[in-house]
Amino acid sequence: NEGALQGYTPQIAETIAFIRDGGSNLHPVERSYLGNLLPTVETAIHLQCASGRDTLSLLNEGVKRVVGVDISDVMIDNARQTSTALNAAAEWVRCDILDTPHELDGTADLVYTGRGALCWMQDLQGWARVIARLLKPGGYFSVFDDHPANWLFDAEKSTDTYVYSGLNYFETCISGMGWPSTYIGELEIPIEKQGRKYERLWTLSQIFQAVTQAGLSVIHFGEHPDPYWELFPHLQPELQGKIPLTFSLLARKV
């Protein structure tokens, strides 16, 4: 009830109510290849878990226990508040993904990530090695994320034209200030007071090779016209459903 949620920020209160009511952020694309797997998972580790909404959704999908890992103190604090209010079977670790504690090695039936996660990684091989060491033998790795081809088009154009961004698909690493309104909404914090961000375009082949070189066997790889957020709000109707907006990958540790 509303009284029980007093004292939490509106975002945390909304997430508590959402999860408590059985809600799930699992995308239909993910459900198409994870739906039968999730109820068999004892422990899922979510890398780059943010405030834990997606992580806790896994519990409502049948996972028995979740561990969320993120570099942000604020996000991990939000996640802890949420899971404490829900008395959820969840643990939270605040660290760089590449420094994920070795105490978690070999504990995951599923390592889960995505939804805008990969662009923040600067060492994809190191990232894949962390995934491999966290998994139990026979464990699964799942990622559902933006298709890297999206970088080639300008999401902020206010016209109905799909415009080339000028970026190089094979060699793009950018640093900047501020966030696109399509991603995070309108912030009241001036750009000059926001932290600098560093993003990297990883091609599909680089992602595939990093995962396989870490010793995982890819059993599903898909490209989808389905978005998980409104990346291109001005996309022409005739192009909707005809261009890749997301990709999915499921791999297994042999």
Side-chain angles (χ1 to χ4, degrees), residues 150-153 164-174 201:
N150 292 343
W151 289 59
L152 299 180
F153 302 94
Y164 174 49
S165 66
L167 297 177
N168 184 333
Y169 181 77
F170 300 100
E171 297 180 1
T172 290
C173 183
I174 60 176
L201 188 166

Side-chain angles (χ1 to χ4, degrees), residues 28-252:
V29 168
E30 295 175 294
R31 186 167 282 111
S32 70
Y33 65 90
L34 284 178
N36 294 330
L37 172 64
L38 292 176
T40 71
V41 171
E42 291 292 328
T43 298
I45 298 179
H46 183 187
L47 301 181
Q48 293 167 274
C49 67
S51 59
R53 185 181 177 111
D54 292 349
T55 320
L56 295 170
S57 291
L58 296 176
L59 296 176
N60 285 348
E61 296 287 344
V63 172
K64 308 301 185 297
R65 169 178 174 263
V66 293
V67 179
V69 183
D70 200 272
I71 198 171
S72 168
D73 290 299
V74 172
M75 292 296 186
I76 289 297
D77 182 62
N78 289 347
R80 285 180 177 143
Q81 290 186 57
T82 303
S83 62
T84 297
L86 293 165
N87 195 27
E91 175 185 343
W92 309 99
V93 180
R94 207 298 301 168
C95 69
D96 187 303
I97 294 304
L98 299 183
D99 296 327
T100 300
H102 285 279
E103 288 79 4
L104 293 173
D105 288 0
T107 65
D109 301 288
L110 172 70
V111 172
Y112 176 86
T113 193
R115 313 284 186 106
L118 268 66
C119 66
W120 305 115
M121 301 308 303
Q122 300 299 317
D123 179 358
L124 203 64
Q125 284 70 35
W127 165 83
R129 287 193 295 269
V130 168
I131 292 164
R133 70 173 170 84
L134 293 176
L135 286 171
K136 297 176 182 177
Y140 292 87
F141 166 62
S142 173
V143 59
F144 173 67
D145 215 328
D146 291 303
H147 196 290
N150 292 343
W151 289 59
L152 299 180
F153 302 94
D154 193 331
E156 289 287 279
K157 289 294 183 183
S158 59
T159 68
D160 61 356
T161 305
Y162 204 42
V163 179
Y164 174 49
S165 66
L167 297 177
N168 184 333
Y169 181 77
F170 300 100
E171 297 180 1
T172 290
C173 183
I174 60 176
S175 170
M177 306 287 285
W179 300 85
S181 59
T182 50
Y183 179 68
I184 206 168
E186 298 295 340
L187 293 178
E188 297 180 359
I189 304 171
I191 288 180
E192 61 272 13
K193 293 187 178 181
Q194 298 177 31
R196 177 169 290 277
K197 63 184 188 295
Y198 300 87
E199 299 176 78
R200 176 72 182 265
L201 188 166
W202 296 106
T203 68
L204 289 180
S205 62
Q206 289 172 323
I207 296 165
F208 189 94
Q209 289 171 1
V211 170
T212 56
Q213 288 171 3
L216 305 185
S217 177
V218 174
I219 57 178
H220 159 83
F221 195 85
E223 298 174 273
H224 316 283
D226 313 75
Y228 66 87
W229 64 294
E230 194 177 32
L231 174 62
F232 295 113
H234 309 292
L235 183 64
Q236 305 98 299
E238 62 269 23
L239 288 180
Q240 293 178 4
K242 296 181 180 179
I243 59 176
L245 297 179
T246 51
F247 80 94
S248 60
L249 182 151
L250 183 66
R252 196 174 191 189

